[in-house]
């Protein structure tokens, strides 16, 4: 099976501009491709995961990845999938986030001469002369076509700012710039980015002629990926300081039955033959599949040692006990967390990151979803003495599967 055939068999491809030429370039290892990442936070998250796995997969087949960090486009913000305008970030915040992204990407992609490179579009976008840009690039875009683009449609009722309207030409210019300066001949992105990305392909052809070999591929899961990694407590991050390896493992261990085989096929590097054998699995076998998924992805992001620890702790907890808490995620409480030597259950849940707000914590308690040291908490005003958190601390159970240890320091 060729590399491109495997991408299709894994359910990764949504739309392409020229499948015959694209498959030939990928299969022969001649694709120099880029995927863009807007640095809207200081960590990549599960929503970026498929793109990173794809870059790794294609690099293993001899193709050259370009990781484009959107330090310039982040100053505008992608309107795709938005009902309102994104908050503007400072230049310092964007630069910090870019540095964090590079460090995390190095776990997936091998950077170096003739291997993979990372570029930041701030390096060329911030130096553009606006008048020259709209004379040279702006004339290649039809306003009528842009207004019909899917990325702008849902913003039209609430209002689309001229500021955001510049995003498509700027993203298109990225592909044009990379094509001319880095030999980049292919771009990948989410299927919700199709209209944005076609702008880049058409710009290259209009500026450089119909023989310019610029290809666009959109990925089937990436728009779903933006929904992935969202929990009641926020996003599932790749940074272990934001989402522990154990919590990362648990996220995948607890996904819906209907999604587990799709995720194994799309996100892991297990052979398709092995995955095909799982297609008939059901019932308790799906729990085994979830363990495989959780282990493989945790190993990929955090390393084999952390994956082993997370799996060991999870198996203990799923077996019905919290006796082995050595690898359990934990929170250290300080004196500031206690008032008159006590902490309320709502503040405890939010301090441990088990709930995003006191309101959410209150609902969880009222629904009978919280236990502390195996005792169900039934009152939203329940409090706990600081002394109880000394030594080994206390074990908080949220729902049936989430365990967390809290200790005082």
């Amino acid at each position: 099976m060729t590399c491109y055939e495997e991408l299709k068999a894994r359910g990764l491809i949504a739309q392409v501009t020229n499948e015959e030429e694209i498959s030939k370039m990928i299969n022969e290892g001649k694709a120099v491709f880029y995927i863009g990442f807007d640095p809207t936070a200081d960590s990549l998250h599960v929503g970026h995961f498929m793109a990173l796995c794809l870059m790794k997969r294609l690099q293993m087949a001899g193709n050259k990845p370009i990781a484009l960090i959107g330090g310039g486009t982040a100053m505008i913000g992608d309107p795709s999938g938005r009902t309102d305008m994104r908050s503007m970030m400072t230049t310092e915040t964007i630069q910090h986030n870019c540095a964090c992204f590079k460090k995390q990407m190095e776990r997936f992609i091998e950077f170096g001469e003739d291997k993979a490179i990372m570029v930041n579009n701030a390096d060329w976008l911030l130096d553009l002369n606006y008048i020259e840009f709209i004379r040279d690039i702006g004339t290649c875009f039809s306003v009528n076509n842009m207004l019909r683009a899917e990325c702008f449609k849902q913003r039209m009722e609430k209002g689309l700012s001229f500021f955001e309207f510049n995003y498509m030409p700027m993203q298109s210019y990225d592909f044009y710039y990379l094509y001319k300066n880095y030999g980049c001949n292919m771009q990948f992105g989410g299927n919700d980015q199709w209209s944005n990305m076609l702008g880049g392909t058409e710009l290259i052809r209009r500026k450089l002629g119909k023989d310019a070999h610029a290809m666009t591929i959109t990925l089937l899961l990436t728009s779903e990926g933006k929904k992935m990694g969202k929990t009641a407590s926020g996003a599932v991050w790749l940074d272990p300081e934001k989402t522990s390896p154990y919590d990362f493992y648990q996220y995948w261990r607890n996904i819906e039955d209907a999604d587990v085989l799709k995720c194994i096929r799309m996100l892991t590097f297990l052979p398709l033959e092995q995955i095909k054998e799982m297609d008939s699995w059901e019932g308790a076998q799906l729990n085994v599949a979830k363990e495989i998924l959780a282990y493989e992805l945790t190993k990929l992001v955090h390393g084999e040692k952390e994956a082993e620890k997370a799996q060991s702790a999870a198996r203990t907890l799923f077996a019905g006990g919290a006796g082995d808490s050595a690898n359990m995620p934990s929170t250290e409480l300080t004196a500031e967390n206690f008032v008159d030597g006590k902490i309320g259950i709502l503040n405890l849940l939010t301090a441990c990151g088990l709930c995003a707000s006191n309101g959410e914590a209150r609902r969880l308690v009222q629904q009978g979803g919280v236990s502390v040291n195996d005792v169900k908490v039934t009152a939203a005003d329940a409090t706990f003495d600081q002394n109880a958190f000394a030594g080994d601390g206390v074990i908080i159970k949220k729902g049936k599967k989430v365990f967390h240890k809290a200790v005082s320091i």
Side-chain angles (χ1 to χ4, degrees):
M1 180 180 293
T2 66
C3 180
Y4 186 78
E5 287 173 342
E6 182 173 351
L7 296 182
K8 293 188 70 175
R10 289 182 179 274
L12 294 170
I13 304 298
Q15 301 179 83
V16 299
T17 52
N18 185 329
E19 186 165 51
E20 182 178 353
E21 190 166 3
I22 283 171
S23 61
K24 185 174 186 293
M25 292 169 68
I26 288 176
N27 293 337
E28 293 178 357
K30 294 179 179 179
V32 180
F33 68 96
Y34 95 88
I35 298 180
F37 300 83
D38 276 346
T40 53
D42 60 358
S43 172
L44 296 163
H45 55 72
V46 165
H48 298 113
F49 199 69
M50 191 184 71
L52 294 170
C53 292
L54 177 77
M55 295 177 88
K56 182 180 179 72
R57 222 181 281 278
L58 290 173
Q59 187 179 48
M60 290 168 63
N63 300 286
K64 182 177 178 179
I66 298 176
L68 172 66
I69 304 297
T73 41
M75 292 190 174
I76 292 180
D78 185 359
S80 302
R82 303 283 299 188
T83 57
D84 54 7
M85 193 168 78
R86 296 178 186 270
S87 300
M88 292 192 207
M89 297 182 293
T90 65
T91 301
E92 292 75 21
T93 298
I94 292 172
Q95 290 174 343
H96 172 72
N97 293 350
C98 289
C100 294
F101 275 25
K102 186 175 190 299
K103 184 177 180 181
Q104 292 178 344
M105 285 181 180
E106 288 172 342
R107 289 198 64 89
F108 294 83
I109 308 162
E110 187 177 359
F111 291 97
E113 188 175 353
D114 296 325
K115 292 180 179 177
I117 60 172
M118 176 173 286
V119 295
N120 186 334
N121 64 13
D123 293 341
W124 56 85
L125 292 180
L126 299 189
D127 291 334
L128 288 174
N129 178 288
Y130 183 67
I131 299 299
E132 290 179 2
F133 180 77
I134 59 175
R135 278 177 61 89
D136 185 34
I137 305 300
T139 53
C140 297
F141 289 84
S142 162
V143 171
N144 291 343
N145 289 340
M146 290 174 70
L147 291 175
R148 285 192 292 267
E150 194 63 37
C151 59
F152 292 142
K153 277 184 181 179
Q154 60 188 324
R155 292 297 309 279
M156 296 306 292
E157 288 186 11
K158 278 196 168 185
L160 176 73
S161 71
F162 178 71
F163 180 63
E164 295 171 283
F165 199 55
N166 284 269
Y167 191 89
M168 182 186 288
M170 291 178 70
Q171 178 175 326
S172 300
Y173 185 80
D174 283 342
F175 194 16
Y176 174 62
Y177 184 92
L178 292 173
Y179 186 94
K180 289 200 307 177
N181 293 277
Y182 292 91
C184 179
N185 51 34
M186 198 174 295
Q187 59 177 335
F188 284 81
N191 49 323
D192 59 340
Q193 291 283 312
W194 179 246
S195 56
N196 263 355
M197 295 170 66
L198 282 181
T201 305
E202 291 304 313
L203 176 61
I204 290 171
R205 289 176 180 166
R206 290 193 63 172
K207 298 293 292 181
L208 302 177
K210 63 180 181 180
D211 293 329
H213 294 273
M215 306 292 151
T216 295
I217 303 179
T218 58
L219 307 173
L220 196 59
L221 187 65
T222 305
S223 58
E224 290 185 38
K226 292 182 178 179
K227 304 171 190 173
M228 295 168 66
K230 296 292 184 181
T231 68
S233 302
V236 176
W237 304 100
L238 304 193
D239 182 347
E241 297 299 318
K242 287 177 169 287
T243 298
S244 71
Y246 174 85
D247 285 333
F248 186 83
Y249 179 98
Q250 286 288 68
Y251 170 75
W252 296 107
R253 177 61 180 81
N254 293 330
I255 67 168
E256 297 294 330
D257 289 356
D259 293 331
V260 59
L261 291 178
K262 177 173 68 175
C263 289
I264 287 177
R265 187 170 283 107
M266 289 181 162
L267 301 176
T268 75
F269 288 79
L270 295 176
L272 283 170
E273 294 78 10
Q274 180 181 348
I275 298 171
K276 188 174 181 180
E277 294 174 0
M278 303 179 192
D279 284 340
S280 60
W281 287 9
E282 56 185 23
Q285 288 178 305
L286 289 178
N287 286 330
V288 177
K290 290 179 185 181
E291 278 198 344
I292 292 171
L293 173 67
Y295 178 82
E296 290 296 325
L297 298 191
T298 306
K299 181 174 70 172
L300 190 60
V301 175
H302 298 295
E304 188 171 6
K305 183 178 179 181
E306 291 296 336
E308 294 282 358
K309 288 166 58 178
Q311 185 174 70
S312 175
R315 283 177 172 172
T316 299
L317 299 179
F318 271 99
D324 179 12
S325 63
N327 298 320
M328 189 183 298
S330 63
T331 297
E332 294 183 338
L333 303 176
T334 67
E336 296 177 356
N337 294 110
F338 297 89
V339 177
D340 296 329
K342 296 180 180 294
I343 185 171
I345 185 60
L346 306 186
N347 289 336
L348 178 60
L349 291 170
T350 56
C352 292
L354 295 172
C355 292
S357 66
N358 279 0
E360 181 188 322
R362 183 183 301 276
R363 289 190 293 274
L364 186 65
V365 170
Q366 291 172 343
Q367 293 164 3
V370 178
S371 297
V372 175
N373 285 345
D374 288 331
V375 177
K376 182 166 289 189
V377 179
T378 58
D381 60 355
T383 60
F384 300 88
D385 289 334
Q386 184 172 358
N387 293 336
F389 298 87
D392 293 334
V394 303
I395 305 298
I396 306 162
K397 182 180 179 183
K398 174 185 173 182
K400 295 180 179 180
K401 301 176 181 178
V402 177
F403 291 81
H404 195 95
K405 179 166 64 174
V407 298
S408 64
I409 57 174

